[in-house]
Amino acid sequence: MWIRSTLMYRVSFALTVLGGLLVTGLDFVAILLMFSRVDALGGYSLPEVAFLYGLSAASFGLADLAIGSADRLGSRVRDGTLDTLLVRPAPVLAQVAADRFALRRVSRIVQGSLVLGYALVASDIAWTPVKVLMVPGMVLCGGVIFSAVFVAGAAFQFVAQDASEVQNAFTYGGQTLLQYPPTVFGRELVRGVTYIFPVAFVNWVPAAYVLGRPYPLGGVPQWAAFAPPVVAAVCCVAAGLAWRAGLRSYRSTGS
């Protein structure tokens, strides 16, 4: 329904997508401005940073398109309109994802893919069949990991009710973090997003293998570059359990 209503005004939709491309593109413009003053950022060249940026933006774009509407759950919990979703013969999470579905968010996927395409052409990568297959795998697994973060954040809103900004700190904030090389951050932060909040497996860990660079944490084995599917599955299980627990704790707003 939301897609059909959006496409009823195709010129408006096209202008909205174009505006989204320009707005999200400002993030990469900021990186370009940095490289107008320096030759490398944390030891990474511009094409290598663009590789990280493209993977992060495209992965997050997929998750934002699929489940980004979950950040509205807190308002539904506060005003009791979540009850209308509970009485319908459809999974609540699917309804939350489809609530005010914004097709315009495809602009983030397009913008990230364009930067990723530039990076693949400009980067001096020793390509192998395995590395070629890893690139789309990183985008898909990264999208799943970010989707799990969205769901876990939505589950937290059952308790906090007004925690959309807290959720955004881990979703949008995590995406912004991954746009830059891990070498520009402190080791404790890198360790935290690798072992505790494993968004590093969206791009940092597997990208280090593709780019032929050592990961900043010496204890991370090389085979960890192939772990994103496993990490994505674990994140989905954890997010699913959190969602079920949050949904069971919902008690509506009373009379």
Side-chain angles (χ1 to χ4, degrees), residues 24-78:
T24 55
L26 291 177
D27 289 341
F28 191 64
V29 170
I31 293 176
L32 292 177
L33 291 175
M34 292 181 191
F35 275 93
S36 69
R37 298 297 181 182
V38 299
D39 296 326
L41 186 63
Y44 282 64
S45 65
L46 175 58
E48 291 174 325
V49 174
F51 184 64
L52 296 177
Y53 177 98
L55 290 171
S56 173
S59 297
F60 182 81
L62 289 174
D64 191 35
L65 178 66
I67 197 73
S69 297
D71 60 2
R72 294 192 182 91
L73 183 67
S75 61
R76 282 192 172 274
V77 172
R78 288 196 306 275

Side-chain angles (χ1 to χ4, degrees), residues 170-189:
F170 290 93
T171 52
Y172 291 91
Q175 187 252 340
T176 302
L177 176 77
L178 297 177
Q179 292 176 358
Y180 298 92
T183 49
V184 304
F185 300 103
R187 291 181 64 86
E188 294 304 320
L189 176 61

Side-chain angles (χ1 to χ4, degrees), residues 189-201:
L189 176 61
V190 176
R191 187 175 288 110
V193 296
T194 302
Y195 296 113
I196 301 174
F197 181 61
V199 292
F201 288 89

Side-chain angles (χ1 to χ4, degrees), residues 207-230:
Y209 174 82
V210 174
L211 296 174
R213 287 183 169 275
Y215 195 62
L217 300 180
V220 178
Q222 191 176 43
W223 56 260
F226 305 96
V230 177

